Amino acid sequence: MEFNTEIAPYARLQLQDTMVVFDTQPASIPFNDTVKPFCDKNPVEHSMYQMFITEQDFSPESYFIAISSMLTVDDIVENGRKVSSTTLLSPMRKVFSAYTGTGSVYVAVATYGKLSTAYVPTFSYACSPVLYPESCDVLTDTFPKFICAGCFFLGLLSVCLGHYHLPIDQSLPIFFTSTILGYMITQNIGWALLIGLFGMILWHCFRVCFPILGLGLFNISLGFFFTNVVYFHAPGINNDLEGVA
């Protein structure tokens, strides 16, 4: 990644459909007679922090308060959430989910030994509230609202009456999991629902012909849930997320 400025103490933010890409330029230490350049590894460590503001809050006051609370290293550590590192991307790039209409401050901190300095923070609503206010609306169409309401009532019926109709109750997690996977692939709620329906029918076929495989598919949703719980909350697994304000 290249910046227009040779030494850029700021970040470059790219807004995509469902993601926010945060790029920073590596920091370096001053070289002299006692400190020589490191060719194999940069001795400066970089940490990324993020802070949310209230959803659908586009007031100038909230904007400037959020920026001012993430200017110094102490304020960043106190108010921000440290973002975990990954081996899949460059350490100078972080990819976030875009929460439309929710303001978020992104900032990097460079640390060398006991010295730390902060980059210039950047801000995004994952939309354009000034030029295109409608881009910040969430669930504006009738169909997505209907889907959300349907999910709520299906879940309520599953809790109250699911034990009376066990096969139907077991098919709901398969349907929702298949729908989520379908939406991740197609980015279209209609096709995602069709994929969810196909996944539910396929599970019923496996349930009749291959009971063990059908049981395994049924437990996928529960497995995803416990995997997330272990990853984010088990001690020692994700230490980079500690220190959340």
Side-chain angles (χ1 to χ4, degrees):
M1 61 193 75
E2 296 183 358
F3 285 68
N4 295 329
T5 307
E6 182 177 357
I7 301 177
Y10 56 86
R12 183 173 59 192
L13 205 65
Q14 303 178 51
L15 179 60
Q16 301 180 3
D17 291 337
T18 58
M19 296 183 298
V20 175
V21 182
F22 179 79
D23 292 325
T24 52
Q25 194 176 51
S28 61
I29 60 175
F31 301 122
N32 49 45
D33 294 337
T34 59
V35 180
K36 301 299 182 181
F38 291 82
C39 298
D40 54 344
K41 183 180 179 181
N42 189 352
V44 181
E45 297 181 358
H46 299 83
S47 303
M48 310 296 176
Y49 289 82
Q50 180 186 25
M51 186 190 75
F52 290 105
I53 66 172
T54 306
E55 184 180 1
Q56 297 294 319
D57 185 359
F58 306 115
S59 63
E61 293 80 8
S62 298
Y63 171 84
F64 286 108
I65 290 175
I67 292 294
S68 61
S69 63
M70 297 284 281
L71 290 177
T72 66
V73 175
D74 292 337
D75 289 340
I76 292 171
V77 174
E78 180 181 356
N79 301 316
R81 179 181 68 91
K82 190 175 182 180
V83 181
S84 59
S85 58
T86 176
T87 57
L88 300 178
L89 298 175
S90 166
M92 307 311 300
R93 164 169 287 188
K94 290 291 183 290
V95 179
F96 302 88
S97 296
Y99 296 101
T100 304
T102 301
S104 181
V105 184
Y106 306 91
V107 65
V109 174
T111 303
Y112 176 67
K114 296 182 179 180
L115 303 176
S116 297
T117 185
Y119 284 65
V120 178
T122 185
F123 190 95
S124 175
Y125 288 109
C127 62
S128 181
V130 177
L131 298 178
Y132 306 101
E134 65 279 1
S135 65
C136 297
D137 295 334
V138 180
L139 296 179
T140 56
D141 297 332
T142 304
F143 186 60
K145 292 180 180 179
F146 173 78
I147 295 298
C148 290
C151 291
F152 172 77
F153 286 109
L154 281 176
L156 188 62
L157 290 175
S158 177
V159 172
C160 298
L161 304 175
H163 56 285
Y164 293 112
H165 306 280
L166 192 58
I168 298 178
D169 185 59
Q170 290 179 338
S171 64
L172 290 179
I174 300 296
F175 173 74
F176 284 120
T177 302
S178 302
T179 302
I180 292 173
L181 294 176
Y183 187 79
M184 293 171 59
I185 297 172
T186 63
Q187 297 293 311
N188 183 280
I189 187 62
W191 283 107
L193 290 173
L194 290 177
I195 294 175
L197 182 62
F198 174 77
M200 185 174 62
I201 296 174
L202 186 64
W203 173 77
H204 276 288
C205 295
F206 282 130
R207 179 174 170 270
V208 174
C209 302
F210 308 98
I212 296 179
L213 184 58
L215 182 62
L217 292 175
F218 169 71
N219 290 325
I220 285 179
S221 299
L222 185 62
F224 281 154
F225 173 75
F226 279 109
T227 300
N228 291 329
V229 171
V230 171
Y231 179 77
F232 284 105
H233 295 288
I237 292 183
N238 199 14
N239 292 329
D240 287 336
L241 289 179
E242 294 181 356
V244 177

